[in-house]
PDB file of all heavy atoms in Angstrom:
ATOM      1  N   ALA A  87     217.154  12.130 109.174  1.00  0.00           N
ATOM      2  CA  ALA A  87     218.016  10.960 109.019  1.00  0.00           C
ATOM      3  C   ALA A  87     219.042  11.311 107.965  1.00  0.00           C
ATOM      4  O   ALA A  87     218.703  11.830 106.911  1.00  0.00           O
ATOM      5  CB  ALA A  87     217.205   9.747 108.583  1.00  0.00           C
ATOM      6  N   ASN A  88     220.311  11.067 108.255  1.00  0.00           N
ATOM      7  CA  ASN A  88     221.366  11.434 107.324  1.00  0.00           C
ATOM      8  C   ASN A  88     222.559  10.506 107.510  1.00  0.00           C
ATOM      9  O   ASN A  88     222.633   9.765 108.481  1.00  0.00           O
ATOM     10  CB  ASN A  88     221.790  12.883 107.539  1.00  0.00           C
ATOM     11  CG  ASN A  88     222.432  13.481 106.319  1.00  0.00           C
ATOM     12  OD1 ASN A  88     222.691  12.808 105.334  1.00  0.00           O
ATOM     13  ND2 ASN A  88     222.697  14.775 106.372  1.00  0.00           N
ATOM     14  N   MET A  97     223.031   4.913 102.042  1.00  0.00           N
ATOM     15  CA  MET A  97     222.448   5.013 103.383  1.00  0.00           C
ATOM     16  C   MET A  97     221.246   5.955 103.372  1.00  0.00           C
ATOM     17  O   MET A  97     220.218   5.651 103.968  1.00  0.00           O
ATOM     18  CB  MET A  97     223.493   5.515 104.381  1.00  0.00           C
ATOM     19  CG  MET A  97     224.686   4.612 104.554  1.00  0.00           C
ATOM     20  SD  MET A  97     224.345   3.252 105.638  1.00  0.00           S
ATOM     21  CE  MET A  97     224.026   4.116 107.141  1.00  0.00           C
ATOM     22  N   ARG A  98     221.400   7.114 102.732  1.00  0.00           N
ATOM     23  CA  ARG A  98     220.287   8.070 102.659  1.00  0.00           C
ATOM     24  C   ARG A  98     219.081   7.465 101.946  1.00  0.00           C
ATOM     25  O   ARG A  98     217.945   7.643 102.390  1.00  0.00           O
ATOM     26  CB  ARG A  98     220.735   9.349 101.948  1.00  0.00           C
ATOM     27  CG  ARG A  98     221.543  10.243 102.823  1.00  0.00           C
ATOM     28  CD  ARG A  98     221.776  11.605 102.167  1.00  0.00           C
ATOM     29  NE  ARG A  98     223.008  12.150 102.701  1.00  0.00           N
ATOM     30  CZ  ARG A  98     224.154  12.211 102.060  1.00  0.00           C
ATOM     31  NH1 ARG A  98     224.258  11.813 100.815  1.00  0.00           N
ATOM     32  NH2 ARG A  98     225.216  12.716 102.644  1.00  0.00           N
ATOM     33  N   GLU A  99     219.320   6.754 100.848  1.00  0.00           N
ATOM     34  CA  GLU A  99     218.226   6.105 100.118  1.00  0.00           C
ATOM     35  C   GLU A  99     217.517   5.078 100.999  1.00  0.00           C
ATOM     36  O   GLU A  99     216.291   4.985 101.002  1.00  0.00           O
ATOM     37  CB  GLU A  99     218.760   5.443  98.853  1.00  0.00           C
ATOM     38  CG  GLU A  99     219.165   6.417  97.775  1.00  0.00           C
ATOM     39  CD  GLU A  99     219.860   5.740  96.597  1.00  0.00           C
ATOM     40  OE1 GLU A  99     219.847   4.484  96.517  1.00  0.00           O
ATOM     41  OE2 GLU A  99     220.408   6.468  95.760  1.00  0.00           O
ATOM     42  N   PHE A 100     218.298   4.302 101.741  1.00  0.00           N
ATOM     43  CA  PHE A 100     217.713   3.304 102.641  1.00  0.00           C
ATOM     44  C   PHE A 100     216.822   3.996 103.670  1.00  0.00           C
ATOM     45  O   PHE A 100     215.707   3.554 103.943  1.00  0.00           O
ATOM     46  CB  PHE A 100     218.818   2.511 103.338  1.00  0.00           C
ATOM     47  CG  PHE A 100     218.293   1.445 104.253  1.00  0.00           C
ATOM     48  CD1 PHE A 100     218.025   0.175 103.766  1.00  0.00           C
ATOM     49  CD2 PHE A 100     218.053   1.708 105.595  1.00  0.00           C
ATOM     50  CE1 PHE A 100     217.525  -0.814 104.608  1.00  0.00           C
ATOM     51  CE2 PHE A 100     217.557   0.729 106.431  1.00  0.00           C
ATOM     52  CZ  PHE A 100     217.297  -0.532 105.941  1.00  0.00           C
ATOM     53  N   HIS A 101     217.317   5.090 104.262  1.00  0.00           N
ATOM     54  CA  HIS A 101     216.528   5.805 105.267  1.00  0.00           C
ATOM     55  C   HIS A 101     215.288   6.443 104.658  1.00  0.00           C
ATOM     56  O   HIS A 101     214.234   6.489 105.294  1.00  0.00           O
ATOM     57  CB  HIS A 101     217.383   6.853 105.982  1.00  0.00           C
ATOM     58  CG  HIS A 101     218.295   6.265 106.994  1.00  0.00           C
ATOM     59  ND1 HIS A 101     219.655   6.426 106.949  1.00  0.00           N
ATOM     60  CD2 HIS A 101     218.061   5.481 108.071  1.00  0.00           C
ATOM     61  CE1 HIS A 101     220.204   5.782 107.955  1.00  0.00           C
ATOM     62  NE2 HIS A 101     219.262   5.198 108.652  1.00  0.00           N
ATOM     63  N   GLU A 102     215.387   6.940 103.439  1.00  0.00           N
ATOM     64  CA  GLU A 102     214.216   7.524 102.787  1.00  0.00           C
ATOM     65  C   GLU A 102     213.116   6.476 102.592  1.00  0.00           C
ATOM     66  O   GLU A 102     211.935   6.769 102.760  1.00  0.00           O
ATOM     67  CB  GLU A 102     214.598   8.132 101.441  1.00  0.00           C
ATOM     68  CG  GLU A 102     215.353   9.436 101.556  1.00  0.00           C
ATOM     69  CD  GLU A 102     215.865   9.951 100.220  1.00  0.00           C
ATOM     70  OE1 GLU A 102     215.475   9.407  99.162  1.00  0.00           O
ATOM     71  OE2 GLU A 102     216.666  10.906 100.236  1.00  0.00           O
ATOM     72  N   LYS A 103     213.497   5.268 102.240  1.00  0.00           N
ATOM     73  CA  LYS A 103     212.522   4.202 102.006  1.00  0.00           C
ATOM     74  C   LYS A 103     211.934   3.667 103.313  1.00  0.00           C
ATOM     75  O   LYS A 103     210.793   3.220 103.345  1.00  0.00           O
ATOM     76  CB  LYS A 103     213.164   3.042 101.252  1.00  0.00           C
ATOM     77  CG  LYS A 103     213.517   3.362  99.825  1.00  0.00           C
ATOM     78  CD  LYS A 103     214.225   2.187  99.182  1.00  0.00           C
ATOM     79  CE  LYS A 103     214.717   2.547  97.792  1.00  0.00           C
ATOM     80  NZ  LYS A 103     215.563   1.495  97.234  1.00  0.00           N
ATOM     81  N   ASN A 104     212.704   3.669 104.377  1.00  0.00           N
ATOM     82  CA  ASN A 104     212.300   2.995 105.618  1.00  0.00           C
ATOM     83  C   ASN A 104     212.007   3.929 106.783  1.00  0.00           C
ATOM     84  O   ASN A 104     211.805   3.464 107.892  1.00  0.00           O
ATOM     85  CB  ASN A 104     213.395   2.012 106.040  1.00  0.00           C
ATOM     86  CG  ASN A 104     213.575   0.924 105.015  1.00  0.00           C
ATOM     87  OD1 ASN A 104     212.752   0.041 104.896  1.00  0.00           O
ATOM     88  ND2 ASN A 104     214.638   1.009 104.247  1.00  0.00           N
ATOM     89  N   TYR A 105     211.952   5.225 106.547  1.00  0.00           N
ATOM     90  CA  TYR A 105     211.777   6.191 107.627  1.00  0.00           C
ATOM     91  C   TYR A 105     210.389   6.099 108.248  1.00  0.00           C
ATOM     92  O   TYR A 105     209.382   6.039 107.560  1.00  0.00           O
ATOM     93  CB  TYR A 105     211.999   7.612 107.106  1.00  0.00           C
ATOM     94  CG  TYR A 105     211.722   8.650 108.165  1.00  0.00           C
ATOM     95  CD1 TYR A 105     212.682   8.970 109.094  1.00  0.00           C
ATOM     96  CD2 TYR A 105     210.496   9.282 108.236  1.00  0.00           C
ATOM     97  CE1 TYR A 105     212.433   9.904 110.074  1.00  0.00           C
ATOM     98  CE2 TYR A 105     210.230  10.210 109.214  1.00  0.00           C
ATOM     99  CZ  TYR A 105     211.196  10.518 110.129  1.00  0.00           C
ATOM    100  OH  TYR A 105     210.943  11.438 111.105  1.00  0.00           O
ATOM    101  N   LEU A 116     217.304   0.025 112.920  1.00  0.00           N
ATOM    102  CA  LEU A 116     217.227   0.562 111.565  1.00  0.00           C
ATOM    103  C   LEU A 116     218.570   1.121 111.118  1.00  0.00           C
ATOM    104  O   LEU A 116     219.009   0.885 109.995  1.00  0.00           O
ATOM    105  CB  LEU A 116     216.153   1.644 111.452  1.00  0.00           C
ATOM    106  CG  LEU A 116     216.100   2.267 110.064  1.00  0.00           C
ATOM    107  CD1 LEU A 116     215.521   1.290 109.056  1.00  0.00           C
ATOM    108  CD2 LEU A 116     215.349   3.553 110.075  1.00  0.00           C
ATOM    109  N   SER A 117     219.239   1.840 111.996  1.00  0.00           N
ATOM    110  CA  SER A 117     220.538   2.413 111.640  1.00  0.00           C
ATOM    111  C   SER A 117     221.563   1.328 111.342  1.00  0.00           C
ATOM    112  O   SER A 117     222.314   1.423 110.367  1.00  0.00           O
ATOM    113  CB  SER A 117     221.040   3.319 112.764  1.00  0.00           C
ATOM    114  OG  SER A 117     220.160   4.393 112.938  1.00  0.00           O
ATOM    115  N   ALA A 120     220.773  -0.301 108.041  1.00  0.00           N
ATOM    116  CA  ALA A 120     221.235   0.541 106.938  1.00  0.00           C
ATOM    117  C   ALA A 120     222.740   0.394 106.747  1.00  0.00           C
ATOM    118  O   ALA A 120     223.227   0.289 105.612  1.00  0.00           O
ATOM    119  CB  ALA A 120     220.876   2.001 107.203  1.00  0.00           C
ATOM    120  N   TYR A 168     212.260   4.688 112.320  1.00  0.00           N
ATOM    121  CA  TYR A 168     213.481   5.464 112.512  1.00  0.00           C
ATOM    122  C   TYR A 168     213.166   6.840 113.082  1.00  0.00           C
ATOM    123  O   TYR A 168     212.196   7.460 112.710  1.00  0.00           O
ATOM    124  CB  TYR A 168     214.203   5.657 111.177  1.00  0.00           C
ATOM    125  CG  TYR A 168     215.491   6.385 111.325  1.00  0.00           C
ATOM    126  CD1 TYR A 168     216.646   5.729 111.705  1.00  0.00           C
ATOM    127  CD2 TYR A 168     215.555   7.747 111.114  1.00  0.00           C
ATOM    128  CE1 TYR A 168     217.813   6.396 111.852  1.00  0.00           C
ATOM    129  CE2 TYR A 168     216.727   8.428 111.274  1.00  0.00           C
ATOM    130  CZ  TYR A 168     217.851   7.754 111.638  1.00  0.00           C
ATOM    131  OH  TYR A 168     219.029   8.429 111.810  1.00  0.00           O
TER     132      TYR A 168
END
Side-chain angles (χ1 to χ4, degrees):
N88 203 353
M97 298 280 297
R98 282 189 207 105
E99 288 173 11
F100 181 88
H101 283 122
E102 286 173 10
K103 291 176 186 172
N104 297 287
Y105 176 83
L116 177 72
S117 297
Y168 183 82

